[in-house]
Amino acid sequence: MPRLARWILVFLLVAGIGSARLAAGQTPPPPATSTPQDPAPAQAAPQAPASQPAEDDDRVTRLVEPDFTVVNLPTTLILPRHALNFRLTHRFLGNLRQGSFTDNLSNLFGLDNGAIIGLEFRYAPIRHVQAIVYRNNLSKTIQFTGQYEAIRQGASSPVSASAIVSIEGTNNFRSGHSDDEGGGEHDHGVATGHRSPALGGIISRSFSDRLAVYAVPMWVHHVIPSPARDTFYIGVGGRARLMRTVYVVGEVSPRLNGYAPGHPAFAFGIERRAGGHMFQLNFGNSLASTYGQTAQGGFPDTIYLGFNLGRKFY
């Protein structure tokens, strides 16, 4: 028995050692399974899709500068290349400073007295350049304007600046006289067939997204045809954003040299932005909406109701 017991003990030891070695050979080491999986996330990172190109900044809405005019004065807002803008202007002929409130209400605050109506198309053939055509029925005036953005406010400049060159002509930009003249007694004394070139600029400064102010020096040649007179004025205006899409605006254009009858033209109003639309209700002492008409000043003791309606196509 002792001999048999010794063989059993030897067999058990050998079997135990063999089983342990077999179990150890069948169990895969942890590093072997984790090593091939670890590099996968690291290799996927460089294959991530490239970021999308940034949007053209000319197409981004400038909250503090949502329109191309204050009331009549131009702003430094620029059109993106190949974009369009349409503007409709109304200046009703009823003088709100005449008669009582009841009298003005009975005329619907001037709407029953007719209006000076204008249409404007604005197009950007290349970046930073705008071509503008505007016509109103005040002596059938047509105005052609070119505007060039020279400086944009940013890290390298505290202001924006644009240059303007313009020419306007009455009687649909034709020479001679017409028997059918628009404007009547409100034509500012401008004869038909008269042309007035203008040269000037716009300097603007924006403060955060709440306030923008403008200075518009403008020289207008041959403001009146006989005797020929020139005028130099500096329009000053501003726009303040009260709420997300609601603004108040104001402007005045004092004449510093040359022909300067009456009072400086001024206007103020309230407006609302709705997507690409801009609606403004305004009041002013003038029916003017071109550079030559603004140079002739405003009427004394007058306030006219009007509105501007703009639509961007971009």
Side-chain angles (χ1 to χ4, degrees):
M1 283 299 292
R3 187 175 179 181
L4 179 62
R6 286 197 297 269
W7 281 108
I8 293 173
L9 180 61
V10 170
F11 175 79
L12 291 177
L13 289 174
V14 171
I17 293 172
S19 300
R21 288 182 176 178
L22 180 62
Q26 291 177 349
T27 303
T33 58
S34 60
T35 302
Q37 297 177 359
D38 290 340
Q43 293 175 357
Q47 299 176 359
S51 59
Q52 297 296 325
E55 186 177 19
D56 188 346
D57 59 355
D58 289 344
R59 295 180 178 270
V60 175
T61 300
R62 302 185 191 182
L63 294 179
V64 74
E65 194 175 41
D67 204 5
F68 299 92
T69 60
V70 182
V71 178
N72 298 311
L73 293 178
T75 70
T76 50
L77 182 63
I78 195 71
L79 268 178
R81 186 169 68 95
H82 294 168
L84 293 166
N85 185 77
F86 168 78
R87 185 169 70 110
L88 172 67
T89 66
H90 269 62
R91 303 292 182 263
F92 297 103
L93 300 178
N95 182 4
L96 301 184
R97 297 190 66 178
Q98 290 181 347
S100 64
F101 177 82
T102 304
D103 294 334
N104 287 315
L105 180 61
S106 67
N107 292 325
L108 205 56
F109 301 101
L111 274 68
D112 291 343
N113 298 88
I116 301 299
I117 303 171
L119 299 174
E120 178 186 276
F121 293 93
R122 186 179 298 253
Y123 175 69
I126 59 176
R127 198 176 181 207
H128 306 297
V129 174
Q130 301 178 62
I132 308 146
V133 180
Y134 175 77
R135 185 193 188 275
N136 66 19
N137 61 336
L138 184 57
S139 297
K140 300 180 182 178
T141 300
I142 298 178
Q143 178 177 265
F144 300 96
T145 305
Q147 181 173 332
Y148 171 70
E149 182 191 46
I151 301 172
R152 181 174 300 184
Q153 180 177 332
S156 60
S157 175
V159 299
S160 295
S162 295
I164 286 180
V165 59
S166 172
I167 185 168
E168 64 189 80
T170 58
N171 192 26
N172 291 322
F173 219 81
R174 294 180 298 179
S175 300
H177 292 269
S178 171
D179 294 332
D180 182 18
E181 297 181 9
E185 61 177 338
H186 298 276
D187 65 358
H188 281 222
V190 180
T192 57
H194 173 63
R195 298 180 183 179
S196 300
L199 185 65
I202 315 164
I203 302 171
S204 72
R205 168 72 176 173
S206 299
F207 299 90
S208 183
D209 61 353
R210 289 292 177 178
L211 177 65
V213 294
Y214 301 91
V216 185
M218 189 68 61
W219 171 79
V220 182
H221 185 50
H222 286 183
V223 178
I224 58 173
S226 181
R229 299 288 300 274
D230 301 344
T231 296
F232 176 73
Y233 67 88
I234 296 183
V236 179
R239 173 178 274 110
R241 188 165 72 98
L242 301 182
M243 292 184 285
R244 183 171 176 268
T245 59
V246 178
Y247 304 77
V248 292
V249 295
E251 66 181 40
V252 62
S253 300
R255 282 77 56 85
L256 304 184
N257 190 33
Y259 181 72
H263 300 285
F266 69 81
F268 57 91
I270 185 169
E271 60 189 7
R272 186 178 187 276
R273 177 177 57 84
H277 294 84
M278 199 74 182
F279 179 78
Q280 178 187 98
L281 186 69
N282 55 59
F283 303 85
N285 69 339
S286 170
L287 301 171
S289 49
T290 69
Y291 303 128
Q293 293 166 1
T294 300
Q296 296 172 51
F299 298 107
D301 302 318
T302 57
I303 291 291
Y304 298 108
L305 172 67
F307 71 81
N308 292 344
L309 179 61
R311 177 66 169 94
K312 299 181 180 71
F313 293 92
Y314 61 90

